[in-house]
Amino acid sequence: MVPNERIVIVDFGGQYAQLIARRVRECGVYSEIVSYRQGADAIIDKAPKGIIFTGGPASVYADDAPQMETKLFHAGIPILGICYGMQLMCRSLGGIVTSSDSREYGHAEVVKRTAGDIFAHVGAITRVWMSHGDYVTEVPDGFVVIGSTRHTPIAAIADTKRKLYGVQFHPEVAHTDEGQTMLRSFLLDVCGCSGSWTMEHYATQAVEEIRAKVGSGKVLLALSGGVDSSVCAKLISAAVGSQLTCIFVDHGLMRLHEGDEVEAAFKDSGVHFIRVNAEARFLDKLAGVTDPERKRKIIGEEFIRVFEEEGRKIGQVDYLAQGTIYPDVVESGEGNAAVIKSHHNVGGLPAVVDFKGLIEPLRDLFKDEVRALGEELGLADYLVWRQPFPGPGLAIRVIGEVTKAKLDTLRQADAIWREEIKNAGWERKVNQYFAVLTANQSVGVMGDSRTYAYTLALRGVVTNDFMTAEWAKIPYEVLAAASNRIVNEVAGINRVVYDITGKPPATIEWE
């Protein structure tokens, strides 16, 4: 059941559409994303309480720029345009948008010119995050300027009569100090939402939708034992019970002892659980492959082929279920977004599979929301808070060609790193931490003898949504303990480094 209160986010190709949706849900309001290509009528038919236009990479005056029919602005629905969304609103209603010689990127201070509406609960001067090349030089009739910065005189606008608002900055990102306060004012004060939507509502709706789609059919779930697939298993099991079969493909790319741990966690859970040992098969496919995108594509297709084969053994299977989440979709470049990297469960899917379709009930959720859903469903705590692990496994944490010897080396080093993090009490302070076996070899000395061995990189990040992340400031003594143990206990490694790069400009995984 779709909640009565709904905010529609119109995506114009920006990377932050999913983040806006998440921020809206944090305010207790249900949100869904639609492409601008659906058009005004389809959006109006959804009867939203409000609409948010996202940013985007295009210039509004370009011939192929995303557009929206002006009827949407006259439909009586409150609209907030962000960055490109504000520029589109202005140009569509008779304002003027101009191209700048240089892009404005970074922090700026907005001086507010009104005490109400979306600025009702923010300071007189508030720090925001700018990222734009074009800017509005003249507002349409009926609009007033409600916020300015030193370099952007028209940084925020409002037509309070029609409840149309625009901001040149990005309130959805953490870099905008009071951005969430602005969004909350738009949602609750302008749109009149109650802010009562919860993860319980999401779970109820998801169960009903799964039941309606599956009917009497059978579902095959790709269970990795990670957070996403475990929550997915719990949710689908609640919807269709014995119609679900969980297949765990042990591709030989798991962490130390993880295959056995996954089997132990699910074999007596009441879910039909099958473990497929396919290490040799995957390593054979990956032999000689060094390009990370090829690795992902190969692993994704091989996953599907294994599922098809196992599905035939258990009889007709109608649907394939996956624990795909928002960051997977965004980084794989669906819609208008740029491809960051293909995820095996998004960009890696082959063109033809032996199923009627996919079931991806977590596709609209970020990692922290997946955990919240898991807790709502009563999933075991150790599964809900399990360290995130990519579908391609250690194949994308071994830089270069993947071999069993390299995997075994990385498994041992990664286990030490995770153990030292846990011993220091940092396992809940760092949202994701892991080791990467680089392709770099260097000279070292151990026991008065020369060595020439691999460099291991340690990674730890702090993040809420996994769309952006900061490197974790783990104490030196923890880093030292891990480094000392790794070079002494793991053959083939003589140097350890720590990655101190955020996302962006890096991604969380190395490949």
Side-chain angles (χ1 to χ4, degrees):
M1 179 177 66
V2 175
N4 293 328
E5 296 182 347
R6 166 169 36 190
I7 295 295
V8 170
I9 297 160
V10 182
D11 183 10
F12 289 98
Q15 287 287 340
Y16 292 135
Q18 325 293 353
L19 184 55
I20 296 171
R22 179 180 180 278
R23 297 298 185 226
V24 171
R25 291 196 293 266
E26 285 179 349
C27 293
V29 180
Y30 176 76
S31 63
E32 65 178 76
I33 298 172
V34 302
S35 169
Y36 72 92
R37 294 188 178 94
Q38 290 197 17
D41 289 335
I43 295 170
I44 293 170
D45 287 345
K46 292 179 178 292
K49 295 279 286 185
I51 297 168
I52 298 178
F53 286 177
T54 75
S59 294
V60 293
Y61 42 76
D63 292 338
D64 59 349
Q67 301 294 333
M68 180 57 63
E69 302 98 313
T70 57
K71 67 163 58 178
L72 191 59
F73 302 112
H74 303 289
I77 304 170
I79 300 176
L80 171 63
I82 297 174
C83 199
Y84 179 88
M86 169 180 160
Q87 296 164 10
L88 175 63
M89 181 187 298
C90 284
R91 191 168 189 271
S92 300
L93 295 176
I96 298 176
V97 179
T98 304
S99 178
S100 174
D101 293 333
S102 60
R103 184 176 183 86
E104 184 179 18
Y105 182 84
H107 280 116
E109 290 186 337
V110 167
V111 178
K112 72 175 187 179
R113 298 187 180 181
T114 179
D117 298 320
I118 62 173
F119 284 167
H121 305 292
V122 303
I125 300 177
T126 185
R127 194 172 69 153
V128 303
W129 186 259
M130 289 285 192
S131 180
H132 66 99
D134 301 338
Y135 60 99
V136 176
T137 55
E138 185 176 324
V139 300
D141 291 341
F143 282 81
V144 297
V145 178
I146 62 173
S148 304
T149 73
R150 180 180 178 185
H151 299 291
T152 308
I154 304 177
I157 60 174
D159 180 338
T160 56
K161 184 176 181 180
R162 288 183 288 180
K163 295 186 177 181
L164 303 178
Y165 299 84
V167 292
Q168 186 57 71
F169 51 87
H170 288 271
E172 71 274 19
V173 302
H175 301 297
T176 296
D177 292 348
E178 298 181 279
Q180 189 70 347
T181 300
M182 298 173 199
L183 289 175
R184 184 180 297 276
S185 292
F186 175 72
L187 298 169
L188 305 188
D189 301 337
V190 177
C191 299
C193 296
S194 64
S196 59
W197 182 77
T198 64
M199 193 53 66
E200 179 182 1
H201 290 103
Y202 189 95
T204 300
Q205 178 189 350
V207 166
E208 291 179 358
E209 290 179 351
I210 293 168
R211 283 175 180 161
K213 182 172 184 176
V214 174
S216 59
K218 293 183 179 180
V219 183
L220 192 63
L221 171 65
L223 178 64
S224 70
V227 178
D228 304 332
S229 64
S230 297
V231 173
C232 191
K234 186 72 171 180
L235 185 62
I236 297 175
S237 177
V240 298
S242 61
Q243 294 166 243
L244 169 67
T245 296
C246 294
I247 293 183
F248 166 53
V249 176
D250 188 348
H251 45 26
L253 307 172
M254 304 295 289
R255 291 171 289 203
L256 190 65
H257 306 313
E258 198 157 41
D260 294 338
E261 291 172 357
V262 171
E263 182 173 4
F266 284 95
K267 68 176 183 179
D268 297 323
S269 64
V271 173
H272 186 201
F273 177 88
I274 298 173
R275 179 176 179 175
V276 182
N277 294 309
E279 178 184 48
R281 177 171 176 169
F282 277 83
L283 289 180
D284 181 61
K285 291 284 185 179
L286 291 168
V289 177
T290 60
D291 180 72
E293 277 295 286
R294 281 197 62 206
K295 289 181 186 178
R296 288 173 176 272
K297 297 288 186 180
I298 289 169
I299 293 168
E301 179 160 349
E302 203 62 19
F303 256 103
I304 296 299
R305 297 306 167 221
V306 174
F307 293 144
E308 287 176 336
E309 293 170 9
E310 293 302 318
R312 294 187 189 103
K313 293 178 184 178
I314 63 176
Q316 178 60 44
V317 174
D318 303 285
Y319 295 95
L320 171 67
Q322 296 186 140
T324 308
I325 65 174
Y326 255 169
D328 300 340
V329 177
V330 175
E331 291 189 337
S332 295
E334 287 212 341
N336 302 312
V339 176
I340 308 301
K341 55 188 175 184
S342 297
H343 288 261
H344 82 285
N345 54 348
V346 182
L349 289 176
V352 179
V353 295
D354 289 348
F355 308 102
K356 289 181 180 178
L358 291 173
I359 295 177
E360 299 174 309
L362 311 182
R363 192 181 181 88
D364 295 333
L365 300 182
F366 289 90
K367 182 70 72 174
D368 59 321
E369 293 176 313
V370 173
R371 294 191 196 279
L373 178 60
E375 291 181 331
E376 176 67 34
L377 294 168
L379 190 65
D381 188 70
Y382 76 91
L383 288 175
V384 171
W385 291 99
R386 195 181 188 91
Q387 266 292 295
F389 192 59
L394 297 181
I396 59 170
R397 293 179 181 174
V398 170
I399 308 302
E401 183 181 9
V402 179
T403 66
K404 191 175 188 309
K406 289 181 180 179
L407 290 168
D408 288 340
T409 297
L410 178 57
R411 267 188 274 267
Q412 296 177 59
D414 180 76
I416 291 172
W417 175 227
R418 289 186 289 121
E419 183 178 316
E420 289 302 322
I421 290 285
K422 183 177 181 180
N423 290 343
W426 273 69
E427 68 269 32
R428 290 287 183 93
K429 299 177 184 179
V430 186
N431 299 103
Q432 188 168 356
Y433 47 94
F434 55 90
V436 176
L437 186 64
T438 76
N440 295 329
Q441 291 181 284
S442 63
V443 174
V445 57
M446 298 182 71
D448 295 326
S449 298
R450 178 186 185 275
T451 63
Y452 191 67
Y454 285 106
T455 298
L456 184 85
L458 302 179
R459 181 75 157 145
V461 298
V462 177
T463 178
N464 288 323
D465 50 38
F466 286 81
M467 292 300 297
T468 61
E470 298 289 340
W471 62 275
K473 280 67 173 178
I474 296 172
Y476 290 151
E477 56 267 27
V478 180
L479 296 173
S483 177
N484 288 337
R485 284 191 59 193
I486 289 168
V487 296
N488 281 286
E489 297 177 27
V490 184
I493 297 173
N494 67 358
R495 192 179 300 271
V496 177
V497 299
Y498 184 56
D499 184 347
I500 58 170
T501 318
K503 176 187 178 182
T507 55
I508 293 175
E509 297 286 349
W510 275 39
E511 290 192 341

